[in-house]
Amino acid sequence: MPATTYAVSGMSCGHCEATLTKVIGELDGVSGVEVDLGTGRVTVTSAAEPDDAAIAEVVDEAGYELTGRA
Protein backbone atom coordinates (compact mmCIF):
# COMPACT_ATOMS: atom_id res chain seq x y z
CA MET A 1 0.00 0.00 0.00
CA PRO A 2 1.37 3.42 -0.90
CA ALA A 3 2.19 5.92 1.84
CA THR A 4 2.04 9.68 1.33
CA THR A 5 3.58 12.17 3.75
CA TYR A 6 2.14 15.63 4.37
CA ALA A 7 3.46 18.67 6.22
CA VAL A 8 0.95 19.87 8.84
CA SER A 9 1.36 22.95 11.01
CA GLY A 10 -0.23 23.61 14.39
CA MET A 11 0.39 20.20 15.99
CA SER A 12 1.93 20.27 19.45
CA CYS A 13 0.64 17.49 21.70
CA GLY A 14 -0.83 14.03 22.03
CA HIS A 15 -4.34 15.42 21.59
CA CYS A 16 -3.30 16.81 18.19
CA GLU A 17 -1.93 13.42 17.22
CA ALA A 18 -5.09 11.59 18.31
CA THR A 19 -7.37 14.07 16.56
CA LEU A 20 -5.57 13.90 13.23
CA THR A 21 -5.27 10.12 13.40
CA LYS A 22 -9.03 9.90 13.91
CA VAL A 23 -10.25 12.39 11.29
CA ILE A 24 -7.87 11.30 8.54
CA GLY A 25 -8.38 7.62 9.37
CA GLU A 26 -12.13 7.98 8.81
CA LEU A 27 -11.64 8.93 5.14
CA ASP A 28 -12.49 6.32 2.50
CA GLY A 29 -9.51 4.26 1.43
CA VAL A 30 -7.23 5.27 4.31
CA SER A 31 -5.80 2.25 6.09
CA GLY A 32 -3.27 3.93 8.37
CA VAL A 33 -2.18 7.30 9.76
CA GLU A 34 1.13 8.06 11.47
CA VAL A 35 1.63 11.47 13.07
CA ASP A 36 5.14 12.72 13.91
CA LEU A 37 4.82 15.79 16.13
CA GLY A 38 8.58 16.42 16.11
CA THR A 39 8.79 16.87 12.36
CA GLY A 40 5.26 18.17 11.74
CA ARG A 41 4.59 15.34 9.32
CA VAL A 42 1.60 13.06 8.86
CA THR A 43 2.01 9.87 6.82
CA VAL A 44 -1.15 8.42 5.30
CA THR A 45 -1.29 4.85 4.04
CA SER A 46 -4.06 4.12 1.56
CA ALA A 47 -5.15 1.53 -0.97
CA ALA A 48 -4.98 4.05 -3.82
CA GLU A 49 -3.63 7.54 -4.44
CA PRO A 50 -4.97 9.69 -1.56
CA ASP A 51 -7.35 12.59 -2.16
CA ASP A 52 -5.20 15.57 -1.12
CA ALA A 53 -8.19 17.93 -1.09
CA ALA A 54 -10.22 15.66 1.21
CA ILE A 55 -7.29 15.23 3.58
CA ALA A 56 -6.63 18.99 3.63
CA GLU A 57 -10.31 19.64 4.36
CA VAL A 58 -10.51 17.37 7.42
CA VAL A 59 -7.15 18.62 8.70
CA ASP A 60 -8.30 22.25 8.36
CA GLU A 61 -11.67 21.48 10.00
CA ALA A 62 -9.79 19.94 12.94
CA GLY A 63 -7.93 23.24 13.44
CA TYR A 64 -4.60 22.49 11.76
CA GLU A 65 -3.11 23.46 8.41
CA LEU A 66 -1.96 21.02 5.77
CA THR A 67 0.77 22.90 3.92
CA GLY A 68 1.38 20.28 1.22
CA ARG A 69 3.11 17.02 0.55
CA ALA A 70 6.42 16.63 2.32
Side-chain angles (χ1 to χ4, degrees):
M1 291 194 167
T4 306
T5 302
Y6 298 93
V8 177
S9 64
M11 303 184 301
S12 62
C13 64
H15 175 72
C16 301
E17 180 179 353
T19 298
L20 288 174
T21 300
K22 179 182 185 300
V23 299
I24 296 171
E26 290 175 345
L27 293 172
D28 286 340
V30 173
S31 59
V33 179
E34 183 178 323
V35 177
D36 186 333
L37 296 174
T39 62
R41 307 244 192 258
V42 176
T43 301
V44 178
T45 305
S46 55
E49 186 68 21
D51 183 344
D52 292 348
I55 293 172
E57 182 179 343
V58 297
V59 169
D60 290 347
E61 286 176 0
Y64 309 97
E65 181 183 4
L66 188 146
T67 57
R69 288 191 179 200

